[in-house]
Amino acid sequence: MGSTLNVPLHVKYIQSLGENKDDLIYHMTAHLRMNAVYWGLTALCVMKDKDALNREEMIDFVMSCWDEKTGGFSPHPDHDAHLHPTLSAIQILIMQDALDRVDIPRVVKFILSLQQESGVFAGDEWGEIDTRFLYCAVNALSLLGHLHELDVEKTVGYIRRCRNFDGGFGNREGAESHAAQVFVCVAALAILDRLDEVDQDTLAWWLAERQLPSGGLNGRPEKLEDVCYSFWVLSAMSILNKIPWINADKLTAFILSAQDPDHGGIADRPGDQPDVFHTLFGVAGLSLLGYPGLDDLDPVYCMPASLIESKGLRKGWTALPRKASV
Amino acid sequence: MHGVKRVRYSREALAAHKERERAKLKEFQGLTAEVLSRKKGNDFDKESFELTTRLLHVNPEFYTVWNYRRRILLNGIFPTSTPVQINDVLSDDLSLTTTLLKQHPKVYWIWNHRQWCLRQVPDGPTDADPNGWRQSYWNKELFVVEKMLEVDPRNFHAWTYRRIVLENMPVKRPELSELAYTKRKIEANFSNFSAWHQRSKVLSSLWESGKRDKFKSIEEELDLVKNAMYTDPGDQSVWLYHRWLISLGDSKSVVDREIQSIEELLEEQPDSKWCMESLVFYKRLLLRSYGESLADEDRRKLASDCEELLVNLQRVDPDRKQRYMDLSQHKL
């Protein structure tokens, strides 16, 4: 579909997600519920309709997922706490200005307890490691104002060891570069003011080569395009101030073509089933591309730019200037 | 959700679909409630274990249930089992994850559980051979992961797992075998960047340990790459790898030779973006690293070649026009 972003339909789509309680998929994805709430709320913020979801209900849901035993958040009541939903919970509470509900020292302790000797973070006590979790920790600690408790050298050291010859980063030491992992590593380095660790010329080249003739972006060489890479790639490019190195008009058209014209939402590719994950990363991409009528998104934290700025956390990224009209 | 086609259902079809879903939903919700309530009650019995098996077959992404399953094993089953019994249980769990990985090769939680099981393997089968069980499992893992990479040679979960297997085998496999493996994968498909990446890691390690002569193997690699370049000059995997190889060396004659070879390819394929992109990079590398030893005339020629190539690149690759303009602006 179409040449414009159907904001009212996407807002309605996000609102409808909490109402599909007789859908199997709604229940099968309970382990992602906290993340989904964050994706939906952030997409609404970018579309300037934050109040389309009920604030009180949302805060109550988030708090019902706090696990007193570990100090972390679970994605859903009765599920186990994990670093990823913990970041989403903190992001939601900050967007809803409700951080006063949280026992911050306990959450900080939970996060710090997951750092490994190597500097990377585990997602939970079972020990899976990934640079995604390192980013979750750095982002959350920064938002909570406790970054000073982090061993920065150890953390940066791990990211450095994940850097590959193509300038990109993998999900752990030795792993192939992948655009989503590039985002988490570059954004973590931006938060830690350590972008000097990035081989910027090589990485910006690699990122620019993610664009395919369709206009969409892929996550690795010789792979298919997908709307979510609009954010993973663009966020890293905006942190390196290199968005003009790809064709913004073609990428905009690709994202718009992945909208569901009947029910709203954005899919991974044109013609596919939409979901809230791709809806956020589609509108996030459009925001960084200067699409008219949207709010600015901070690519480092993936949260509203004005909010990050008001907390004094803004880093030196550049998005494309906001257009006045389509 | 990735790659699921959008379908427009008629009202009747939608109703029928809902009806079918309702039964599945009821079963899933019932099972979930039962398992989570047992988990809350710290039930670590065999029946709870079986229930987690059923639930994980329906939804292998339900990581809390994997966690609960491991707690049952650690607190309920292992303490009352002999090493042989523990070994049998773990063997069954490895089979479970094999089955699930075939259907869901990209679910992190299944890969995680598999690794956890391998870490739990007890000493045995005998006191004289305490590593026997472990060794045979880890050897089998390499086979499993090769099967996975046959189905999807770019699955990064499988590649990461492969590196974990190679690291953990009680008796290490020679790195040269891994080098041979990446070559097989590359020769099967030059576009397999995952294999090129793995190759870069294995080579680096071989050089570091002195098992391979760096200079000699760079030459061999350049040969391999040249073959791939001529097969498909539009494949970026090869060019990325080539740039890495050149960046490792410090020989002007190698850069000169490679430039000449790429120029020959460009003559055959006059619009090849990757030939031009690489020529700009290597000619600028010459100016940067060996500029002082070059005659004025050669320097001017290299600089004007780059300018011309960057203008052509703007034409053949207009999506990245701004990058070529920036490179033009950015004089050495």
Side-chain angles (χ1 to χ4, degrees), chain A:
Chain A
M1 118 163 194
S3 53
T4 58
L5 184 71
N6 195 334
V7 170
L9 196 62
H10 298 317
V11 170
K12 231 176 96 190
Y13 167 76
I14 292 170
Q15 286 174 319
S16 76
L17 292 170
E19 292 154 14
N20 298 335
K21 295 198 173 138
D22 57 343
D23 280 356
L24 183 60
I25 189 81
Y26 175 83
H27 297 276
M28 293 277 277
T29 54
H31 63 283
L32 289 170
R33 188 76 69 239
M34 183 72 78
N35 310 67
V37 172
Y38 156 75
W39 295 326
L41 176 63
T42 309
L44 289 173
C45 288
V46 174
M47 294 189 288
K48 298 186 178 175
D49 204 349
K50 182 179 152 194
D51 298 328
L53 292 176
N54 185 290
R55 176 177 182 271
E56 291 311 314
E57 271 177 34
M58 192 183 291
I59 296 170
D60 287 346
F61 168 77
V62 172
M63 292 317 298
S64 73
C65 294
W66 190 58
D67 175 32
E68 208 169 341
K69 223 168 77 201
T70 58
F73 286 84
S74 64
H76 189 279
D78 293 334
H79 290 217
D80 288 346
H82 190 279
L83 197 43
H84 196 184
T86 298
L87 170 63
S88 294
I90 299 300
Q91 289 174 309
I92 296 165
L93 292 172
I94 287 185
M95 285 191 267
Q96 296 290 19
D97 193 20
L99 206 55
D100 55 335
R101 299 281 299 269
V102 178
D103 185 345
I104 294 177
R106 294 237 27 222
V107 178
V108 168
K109 206 173 148 200
F110 169 75
I111 297 169
L112 291 171
S113 76
L114 293 170
Q115 187 164 35
Q116 310 294 298
E117 242 345 280
S118 64
V120 72
F121 280 74
D124 61 20
E125 61 184 294
W126 296 99
E128 183 195 358
I129 55 161
D130 197 301
T131 44
R132 284 178 303 147
F133 307 145
L134 182 152
Y135 168 75
C136 289
V138 169
N139 185 342
L141 288 171
S142 165
L143 290 173
L144 292 170
H146 281 257
L147 207 50
H148 56 276
E149 292 187 47
L150 177 75
D151 185 337
V152 173
E153 273 318 309
K154 200 158 110 174
T155 310
V156 171
Y158 191 83
I159 302 178
R160 186 185 302 131
R161 294 197 298 282
C162 292
R163 195 174 65 201
N164 293 315
F165 69 79
D166 50 29
F169 298 86
N171 69 336
R172 51 176 84 180
E173 239 181 300
E176 180 186 354
S177 299
H178 180 295
Q181 312 292 152
V182 168
F183 157 70
V184 292
C185 289
V186 171
L189 290 171
I191 293 172
L192 298 170
D193 295 318
R194 289 300 299 275
L195 286 172
D196 58 296
E197 294 289 345
V198 179
D199 176 353
Q200 303 206 8
D201 289 340
T202 309
L203 180 56
W205 168 56
W206 186 86
L207 288 166
E209 293 299 339
R210 296 305 104 240
Q211 189 165 37
L212 297 176
S214 69
L217 308 175
N218 64 12
R220 293 185 281 160
E222 309 297 329
K223 295 276 288 178
L224 287 177
E225 64 273 41
D226 182 322
V227 161
C228 61
Y229 294 116
S230 311
F231 179 74
W232 311 130
V233 173
L234 275 183
S235 57
M237 291 188 98
S238 68
I239 293 168
L240 304 178
N241 301 311
K242 289 289 189 294
I243 293 187
W245 279 16
I246 58 167
N247 186 326
D249 291 340
K250 276 174 82 171
L251 176 57
T252 301
F254 173 76
I255 299 172
L256 293 173
S257 72
Q259 297 178 93
D260 179 339
D262 300 325
H263 308 99
I266 301 176
D268 59 345
R269 254 169 245 134
D272 283 357
Q273 196 84 257
D275 59 62
V276 66
F277 173 87
H278 289 92
T279 304
L280 168 62
F281 294 120
V283 298
L286 291 174
S287 172
L288 293 173
L289 292 168
Y291 192 85
L294 295 178
D295 228 347
D296 292 346
L297 178 92
D298 185 294
V300 175
Y301 292 88
C302 196
M303 286 166 69
S306 54
L307 185 61
I308 295 301
E309 198 151 355
S310 73
K311 292 179 73 71
L313 296 175
R314 193 194 194 285
K315 302 297 173 183
W317 51 270
T318 325
L320 295 184
R322 181 92 30 229
K323 288 181 185 164
S325 61
V326 182

Side-chain angles (χ1 to χ4, degrees), chain B residues 188-233:
Chain B
N189 181 3
F190 287 133
S191 299
N192 186 346
F193 187 72
S194 306
W196 289 106
H197 166 85
Q198 177 78 341
R199 195 167 176 83
S200 80
K201 296 290 173 189
V202 180
L203 278 172
S204 300
S205 162
L206 284 165
W207 297 335
E208 208 172 300
S209 61
K211 287 186 195 135
R212 261 279 160 105
D213 177 67
K214 189 169 170 181
F215 177 74
K216 216 179 122 217
S217 57
I218 289 177
E219 284 298 304
E220 288 164 7
E221 293 305 295
L222 285 168
D223 243 15
L224 176 68
V225 172
K226 189 172 178 182
N227 192 2
M229 272 177 187
Y230 273 79
T231 309
D232 180 6

Side-chain angles (χ1 to χ4, degrees), chain B residues 230-252:
Chain B
Y230 273 79
T231 309
D232 180 6
D235 184 332
Q236 58 178 278
S237 309
V238 181
W239 295 99
L240 287 165
Y241 191 75
H242 188 266
R243 192 170 291 190
W244 175 62
L245 292 172
I246 298 297
S247 74
L248 293 169
D250 53 358
S251 150
K252 179 172 177 296

Side-chain angles (χ1 to χ4, degrees), chain B residues 60-270:
Chain B
E61 300 218 41
F62 201 158
Y63 73 80
T64 298
V65 177
W66 285 112
N67 296 349
Y68 178 39
R69 184 180 184 83
R70 288 190 284 269
R71 287 202 184 96
I72 296 173
L73 287 170
L74 289 172
N75 300 303
I77 295 178
F78 291 170
T80 57
S81 306
T82 65
V84 172
Q85 287 168 327
I86 293 177
N87 187 48
D88 288 346
V89 171
L90 290 169
S91 172
D92 288 348
D93 256 36
L94 286 169
S95 304
L96 168 72
T97 60
T98 308
T99 309
L100 291 174
L101 279 175
K102 280 183 191 156
Q103 298 156 27
H104 313 275
K106 292 184 178 175
V107 171
Y108 288 93
W109 313 108
I110 309 176
W111 290 103
N112 290 347
H113 187 68
R114 198 169 177 91
Q115 281 178 63
W116 182 86
C117 289
L118 288 163
R119 285 201 304 270
Q120 304 303 314
V121 175
D123 286 355
T126 59
D127 286 348
D129 184 17
N131 271 327
W133 280 333
R134 270 187 289 271
Q135 182 66 38
S136 87
Y137 279 123
W138 282 110
N139 286 345
K140 203 175 143 212
E141 287 312 279
L142 206 56
F143 175 78
V144 170
V145 84
E146 277 175 28
K147 284 276 166 223
M148 298 291 292
L149 286 171
E150 271 168 31
V151 178
D152 177 4
R154 298 299 304 278
N155 183 343
F156 73 82
H157 299 269
W159 279 103
T160 291
Y161 192 70
R162 183 176 181 86
R163 283 182 282 271
I164 293 169
V165 174
L166 291 171
E167 241 170 65
N168 282 282
M169 294 169 84
V171 179
K172 298 275 176 292
R173 192 160 158 275
E175 280 178 303
L176 287 173
S177 320
E178 186 60 7
L179 197 64
Y181 177 75
T182 60
K183 192 169 183 183
R184 279 207 304 283
K185 292 309 255 187
I186 288 166
E187 284 174 344
N189 181 3
F190 287 133
S191 299
N192 186 346
F193 187 72
S194 306
W196 289 106
H197 166 85
Q198 177 78 341
R199 195 167 176 83
S200 80
K201 296 290 173 189
V202 180
L203 278 172
S204 300
S205 162
L206 284 165
W207 297 335
E208 208 172 300
S209 61
K211 287 186 195 135
R212 261 279 160 105
D213 177 67
K214 189 169 170 181
F215 177 74
K216 216 179 122 217
S217 57
I218 289 177
E219 284 298 304
E220 288 164 7
E221 293 305 295
L222 285 168
D223 243 15
L224 176 68
V225 172
K226 189 172 178 182
N227 192 2
M229 272 177 187
Y230 273 79
T231 309
D232 180 6
D235 184 332
Q236 58 178 278
S237 309
V238 181
W239 295 99
L240 287 165
Y241 191 75
H242 188 266
R243 192 170 291 190
W244 175 62
L245 292 172
I246 298 297
S247 74
L248 293 169
D250 53 358
S251 150
K252 179 172 177 296
S253 65
V254 170
V255 184
D256 281 335
R257 187 192 66 206
E258 291 301 306
I259 286 178
Q260 200 193 338
S261 149
I262 298 169
E263 280 178 333
E264 282 165 19
L265 183 56
L266 183 62
E267 263 177 48
E268 282 177 33
Q269 311 264 345

Side-chain angles (χ1 to χ4, degrees), chain B residues 34 38 45-52:
Chain B
E34 174 72 24
R38 283 168 176 263
D45 56 10
K46 191 89 179 112
E47 200 186 346
S48 305
F49 185 76
E50 298 303 339
L51 285 169
T52 65

